[in-house]
Amino acid sequence: MDDLKLIRRKPRSDMVRNRERLLDAAKFVFSAGGPDASLEAVARRAGLGIGTLYRHFPTREALFEAVYRHEVEELGAYAERLKSGVAPVDALRLWLHANVELVATKKGMLAALALATHAPADLYAYSLDRLTRAVGELLQRAVDTDEIRSDISPEDLIRALVGMCHLHDQPGWQVSVLRLVDVFVDGLRIRG
Amino acid sequence: MDDLKLIRRKPRSDMVRNRERLLDAAKFVFSAGGPDASLEAVARRAGLGIGTLYRHFPTREALFEAVYRHEVEELGAYAERLKSGVAPVDALRLWLHANVELVATKKGMLAALALATHAPADLYAYSLDRLTRAVGELLQRAVDTDEIRSDISPEDLIRALVGMCHLHDQPGWQVSVLRLVDVFVDGLRIRG
DNA sequence: TGCAAAACGGAGGCAGCCTCCGTATATTCG
DNA sequence: CGAATATACGGAGGCTGCCTCCGTTTTGCA
């Protein structure tokens, strides 16, 4: 067939299956309990041993990355889409709002976004890179048209976003946070 | 002397002394390790049993409140002072900057500030109340002169502040955060 | 079918949270 | 001063969560 066969055997079926189970369980547990939820709870929900979880995902962050890879990719793609057809500043605002809404549904997303700024190097995956780049271009576009200040990095923006989403367990937080985000975007604009 | 004597005996000397020791230890441990530092470490540093710590401060938050009461009062007083002699928006900015600098020195302060928005009722102390009021007046002053928007509450402002201070362990974060704060204050302003 | 490689499970060691209660000590009063 | 008693102290103990390590099981391959 191919040379790979000579080097590696095909991945074990139970391993593939268990990985999926762990991701499903983690998605559930993190969405409900937030990023600090117990990893043993994840393993329990997956019906697997804790050792198996750690073999698949050596750190909590690695698990975040895998669980929310899809969402992060979508956010990156959305940012890319917003680059055309929408006014630069509006694009920024829309994108940030989309983030808030995603976090509202899946609490764990916060941690995944934070990864885009914490950069633990070894798991700085493609999706995170794409996200950061896309946001950077969103910012740059607005800078190029002299609409916003130029001293804010993509990381700064994401950090601010994550920060404003934090601390909000109380009901109705979403409205407040969206307002704070609007204030922030307004603050980015150069006063004409 | 007075009727109190008839009802209660004078507080035990060791109790008074130990309370001080615990506060000193907590100040040290929280400033270094942040608000999540181990309470047992606090007790150890104070040279006291963990039970003693819990008897004095039933919850972590109660300890925060006591440890940072002084700082919170100073922040409140500073806000009150800024109400005169400084332009409304500048006053806001200055006050927020002071917060960031305080948090930079004493990591635990973040948690104390967060208390001002989380309001666990039973320990919503005078100092926290004063702080919130003072910030509210700072905001109101700028609203009254039509300089900033009127839909941001003191709690919103403090939450945004705390959020932006979060997540910043990396060296040099202070500069970024101050910039984010400036952006935010700019965003509060009504565009003229 | 047998064998090696790969993956699994969970016990175990560690740390932190918080409670409970036997022991120690300060204050008060005779 | 010396009980008596209210008050505070200490830390063991039960619990949960983190993470590692290794004996056991399962899988893929020939």
Coordinates of all heavy atoms in Angstrom, one line a residue, chain B residues 1 29 46 128:
Chain B
M1 N -17.2 50.3 84.5 CA -16.8 51.1 83.4 C -18.0 51.3 82.5 O -18.6 52.4 82.4 CB -15.7 50.4 82.6 CG -14.4 50.2 83.5 SD -13.7 51.7 84.1 CE -12.3 51.1 85.0
V29 N 1.4 36.2 51.6 CA 1.2 35.0 50.7 C 0.3 35.4 49.5 O 0.6 35.0 48.4 CB 0.5 33.9 51.5 CG1 0.0 32.8 50.6 CG2 1.4 33.3 52.6
A46 N 1.8 32.0 59.4 CA 1.5 32.7 60.6 C 1.9 31.9 61.9 O 1.8 32.3 63.0 CB 0.0 32.9 60.7
L128 N -16.0 48.6 50.9 CA -16.4 48.2 49.6 C -17.5 49.1 49.1 O -17.6 49.5 48.0 CB -16.9 46.7 49.5 CG -15.7 45.7 49.6 CD1 -16.3 44.3 49.8 CD2 -14.8 45.8 48.4

